[in-house]
């Protein structure tokens, strides 16, 4: 057909990519949160046992490895696509208004998805440095406690690493603030994503909007509470 | 009543513009915003100065010609009103009011408050039509359409093409306008023939005109004088994806 552009090169297509990667990341958060919540229950010994065995199990599954590569790709694609969209949208602007009241027509978080996303991106780098780099790559892992799994293998005691990390008040603060940013990003993002991929049925749009907002609140609250509770009870 | 105006003045597309202050007195609160500008222009003309240029036609909220940013909001402070239907009673006596043209790369300023919205016409030209038999006008009721569907198509068709959506959008996206035109036709059986190519051609034209990408802030639908729904954009996205899947099959 004449003038047809690629799947992801138009203003609509770009948003499709944004939405698909965003929803994939959002789905991953559910699994991630369930794992983290094991840190909160039982005695210190029980929590250590559950959390370490769970992490080890995940790490040993091929499917999880594949999913993790997909996650890295999704984060990079999502952030780059966001950058492209933002740059293109800036080019679409005329001269600046002398007086303009943006808050009269839209909520602040919907206008600052790029800022919220950037906070999340910085957080992801910090977060992976805190745990992933030490646990998976062994960077800065010298002298960390070792743990023997049920299977007889040994590895970094991730539970102790987490507890030690969350004894730093400033870091707990950074985690909580980042999760608030994540919450707002999802509060707008999940609903936007369903519209970007073209869910247009009135009833479904309403349902997805409500579910998206509940999801955003539950996920961000769930993630934020973990470092705080670990700081106080572990 | 008294009003202090700060109005964008610009000679043409190639010269820089600036805000110029005008004070008006003896205004009636029942004057429309455009009547106030007429009143200002009479005074300017009497003094031999160049009058303030602005677009308008019907002055009854149906043509979509009037288009001003008033105190930082498209068509003024009230939601779902056109500029011509905005009256001075909306403002306080002695208030300072900023008046600016709609701004977007695809809406170049022609002079003062007048912008070129030809980009909208070209989006319509790209796909806002249907195939129809030539010859006698067909019998109006020969194609039965469910009442709800015709009402829904009419809600989309209510768009008057003023451009408030673009002017308000932080991305200068014309997604609401384009999607309203697409939805209006796709909801009706008459629009079926060009269903796939319409959405692709109109989205392509939208992009070629330099409009931005929608991020669903919803600002457009709040500013829209016709209350055109954001749902049209979701419908456009669906139609676009569907067309890409179907077009070569
Ligand atoms: C890597 C850092 C991130 C950046 C820079 C970023 C940035 C953005 C931007 C700019 C948008 C589009 C703005 C809009 O639609 O108004 C967006 C949308 C979205 N983001 Fe992110 N984000 C990031 C991380 C995440 C993460 C971790 C998730 C999921 C947990 C996520 C989920 C979403 C969703 C669901 C959308 C909606 C897509 C749409 O509007 O079509 N983002 N993001
Ligand atoms: S002049 Fe026609 S809508 Fe305002």
């Amino acid at each position: 057909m004449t003038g047809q552009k690629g799947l992801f090169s138009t203003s609509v297509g770009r948003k499709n990519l944004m939405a698909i990667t965003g929803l994939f990341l959002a789905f991953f958060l559910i699994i991630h949160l369930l794992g983290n919540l094991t840190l909160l229950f039982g005695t210190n010994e029980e929590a250590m046992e559950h959390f370490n065995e769970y992490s080890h199990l995940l790490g040993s599954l091929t499917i999880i490895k594949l999913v993790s590569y997909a996650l890295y790709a999704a984060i990079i694609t999502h952030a780059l696509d966001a950058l492209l969209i933002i740059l293109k949208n800036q080019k679409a602007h005329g001269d600046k208004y002398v007086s303009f009241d943006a808050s009269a027509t839209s909520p602040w978080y919907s206008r600052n998805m790029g800022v919220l996303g950037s906070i999340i991106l910085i957080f992801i780098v910090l977060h992976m440095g805190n745990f992933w780099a030490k646990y998976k790559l062994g960077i800065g892992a010298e002298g960390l406690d070792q743990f023997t799994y049920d299977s007889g293998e040994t590895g970094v005691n991730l539970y102790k690493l987490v507890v030690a990390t969350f004894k730093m008040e400033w870091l707990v603060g950074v985690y909580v603030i980042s999760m608030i940013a994540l919450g707002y990003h999802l509060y707008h993002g999940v609903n936007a994503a369903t519209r970007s991929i073209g869910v247009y049925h009135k009833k479904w749009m309403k349902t997805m909007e409500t579910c998206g907002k509940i999801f955003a609140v539950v996920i961000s609250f769930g993630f934020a509470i973990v470092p705080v509770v670990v700081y106080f009870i572990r | 009543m008294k009003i202090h105006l700060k109005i964008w003045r610009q000679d043409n597309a190639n010269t820089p513009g600036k805000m110029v202050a005008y004070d008006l007195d003896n205004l009636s609160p029942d004057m429309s915003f455009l009547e106030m500008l007429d009143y200002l222009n009479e005074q300017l003309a009497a003094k031999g100065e160049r009058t303030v240029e602005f677009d308008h036609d019907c002055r009854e909220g149906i043509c979509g010609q009037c288009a001003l940013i008033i105190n930082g909001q498209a068509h003024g402070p009230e939601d779902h009103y056109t500029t011509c239907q905005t009256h001075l009673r909306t403002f306080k006596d002695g208030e300072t009011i900023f008046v600016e043209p709609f701004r977007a790369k695809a809406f170049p300023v022609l002079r003062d408050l007048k912008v070129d919205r030809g980009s909208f016409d070209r989006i319509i030209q790209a796909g806002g039509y249907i195939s129809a038999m030539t010859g006698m006008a067909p019998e109006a009721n020969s194609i039965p359409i469910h009442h709800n569907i015709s009402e829904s198509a009419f809600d989309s068709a209510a768009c008057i093409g003023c451009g408030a959506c673009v002017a308000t959008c932080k991305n200068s996206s014309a997604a609401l306008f384009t999607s309203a035109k697409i939805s209006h036709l796709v909801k009706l059986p008459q629009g079926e023939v060009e269903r796939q190519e319409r959405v692709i051609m109109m989205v392509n034209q939208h992009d070629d005109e330099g409009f931005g990408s929608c991020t669903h802030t919803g600002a457009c639908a709040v500013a829209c004088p016709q209350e055109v729904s954001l749902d049209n954009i979701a419908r456009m996205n669906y139609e676009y994806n569907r067309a890409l899947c179907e077009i070569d099959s």
Side-chain angles (χ1 to χ4, degrees):
Chain A
M1 175 171 165
T2 46
Q4 187 181 335
K5 297 179 180 172
L7 184 55
F8 293 121
S9 57
T10 58
S11 58
V12 176
R14 286 258 167 82
K15 289 308 301 270
N16 272 320
L17 189 58
M18 209 61 213
I20 294 165
T21 50
L23 289 177
F24 175 58
L25 291 169
F27 178 72
F28 150 78
L29 292 180
I30 304 174
I31 319 287
H32 190 1
L33 179 59
L34 290 178
N36 289 2
L37 289 180
T38 59
L39 285 164
L40 305 186
F41 301 104
T43 62
N44 285 352
E45 284 67 34
E46 282 163 356
M48 174 151 74
E49 179 69 20
H50 292 154
F51 185 69
N52 283 347
E53 288 296 343
Y54 165 82
S55 313
H56 184 60
L57 173 70
L58 282 195
S60 60
L61 296 175
T62 315
I63 175 88
I64 296 295
K65 246 189 215 121
L66 292 178
V67 170
S68 71
Y69 292 133
L71 280 172
Y72 309 144
I75 293 169
I76 293 167
T77 310
H78 188 83
L80 284 181
D81 194 29
L83 189 67
L84 284 179
I85 291 175
I86 289 170
L87 289 178
K88 181 158 179 291
N89 286 349
Q90 272 174 358
K91 266 205 262 164
H93 292 172
D95 292 337
K96 252 186 136 50
Y97 288 113
V98 176
S99 135
F100 191 70
D101 186 2
S103 62
T105 48
S106 62
W108 68 269
Y109 49 84
S110 75
R111 283 178 272 118
N112 290 286
M113 290 294 278
V115 175
L116 294 169
S118 303
I119 296 174
I120 301 169
L121 190 58
I122 294 169
F123 168 79
I124 292 174
V125 173
L126 175 75
H127 176 57
M128 289 182 80
N130 287 150
F131 303 118
W132 180 80
K134 292 180 184 160
Y135 182 62
K136 281 274 152 70
L137 305 182
I139 298 170
E142 307 81 24
L144 287 181
D145 230 58
Q146 296 291 307
F147 183 83
T148 310
Y149 302 106
D150 292 344
S151 63
E153 295 162 88
T154 60
V156 171
N157 189 330
L158 194 57
Y159 172 84
K160 287 214 165 144
L161 177 59
V162 170
V163 172
T165 307
F166 289 154
K167 287 299 165 196
M168 294 182 265
E169 289 90 351
W170 70 270
L171 198 68
V172 173
V174 169
Y175 269 62
V176 171
I177 290 169
S178 304
M179 289 311 105
I180 294 172
L182 176 68
Y184 276 111
H185 193 84
L186 292 173
Y187 200 76
H188 177 69
V190 175
N191 179 31
T194 60
R195 288 167 174 268
S196 289
I197 56 175
V199 176
Y200 75 87
H201 191 278
K202 270 218 168 351
K203 219 155 73 194
W204 276 105
M205 273 192 295
K206 263 262 149 304
T207 311
M208 287 307 297
E209 184 172 352
T210 312
C211 291
K213 286 179 174 174
I214 295 172
F215 174 81
V217 173
V218 170
I219 288 283
S220 55
F221 185 78
F223 274 112
I225 198 98
V226 171
V228 176
V229 172
V230 167
Y231 176 78
F232 283 112
I233 72 166
R234 297 299 178 200
Chain B
M1 64 192 282
K2 247 194 199 120
I3 293 285
H4 306 288
L5 289 170
K6 289 200 188 315
I7 300 183
W8 184 262
R9 302 301 310 263
Q10 180 174 346
D11 279 334
N12 59 54
N14 305 317
T15 51
K18 62 173 192 299
M19 298 299 274
V20 177
Y22 300 97
D23 290 336
L24 291 179
D25 205 350
N26 299 320
L27 297 163
S28 154
D30 294 329
M31 269 182 168
S32 78
F33 201 83
L34 298 185
E35 280 167 342
M36 175 188 67
L37 291 180
D38 294 338
Y39 181 65
L40 168 66
N41 277 343
E42 280 169 14
Q43 297 185 1
L44 291 178
K47 282 191 276 183
E49 292 178 31
R50 186 167 72 69
T51 53
V52 178
E53 294 204 16
F54 58 92
D55 275 324
H56 62 100
D57 188 10
C58 70
R59 297 204 177 194
E60 55 182 6
I62 55 173
C63 75
Q65 273 301 303
C66 58
L68 299 176
I69 296 287
I70 302 167
N71 276 348
Q73 284 182 260
H75 296 305
E78 287 183 295
D79 294 345
H80 313 309
Y81 267 79
T82 54
T83 299
C84 59
Q85 294 293 291
T86 300
H87 290 79
L88 294 192
R89 52 181 171 268
T90 321
F91 303 93
K92 288 194 286 289
D93 193 12
E95 191 171 339
T96 300
I97 305 177
F98 288 77
V99 190
E100 299 175 66
F102 281 6
R103 292 205 184 277
K105 196 55 152 287
F107 285 173
V109 175
L110 295 174
R111 178 176 265 190
D112 297 336
L113 303 171
K114 223 154 113 178
V115 301
D116 179 0
R117 284 168 286 180
S119 44
F120 270 15
D121 299 334
R122 291 186 291 274
I123 291 177
I124 303 264
Q125 280 163 9
Y129 50 79
I130 59 163
S131 293
M133 297 291 188
T134 54
M136 294 271 288
E139 155 62 30
N141 295 318
S142 59
I143 304 173
I145 299 172
H146 193 283
H147 177 73
N148 293 353
I149 293 183
S150 74
E151 283 298 316
S152 166
F154 195 69
D155 286 344
S156 301
C159 167
I160 53 177
C162 66
C165 44
V166 174
T168 306
C169 176
K170 81 182 241 296
N171 310 314
S172 304
S173 172
L176 191 66
F177 168 81
T178 309
S179 67
K181 301 300 169 193
I182 290 169
S183 304
H184 150 211
L185 294 175
V186 85
K187 285 172 182 171
L188 298 172
Q190 288 91 334
E192 191 62 29
V193 179
E194 291 87 3
R195 182 173 188 165
Q196 287 94 350
E197 66 188 55
R198 174 182 305 114
V199 59
I200 291 187
M201 300 305 265
M202 290 180 82
V203 168
N204 284 351
Q205 191 65 36
H206 168 279
D207 292 1
D208 290 346
E209 295 292 344
F211 292 108
S213 200
C214 167
T215 60
H216 309 281
T217 67
C220 52
V222 177
C224 177
Q226 296 297 91
E227 302 188 53
V228 170
S229 163
L230 213 53
D231 300 356
N232 287 293
I233 299 180
R235 179 67 188 252
M236 170 177 75
N237 295 340
Y238 168 80
E239 292 296 334
Y240 181 83
N241 290 339
R242 183 185 147 135
L244 284 190
C245 296
E246 286 180 348
I247 204 86
D248 294 320
S249 62

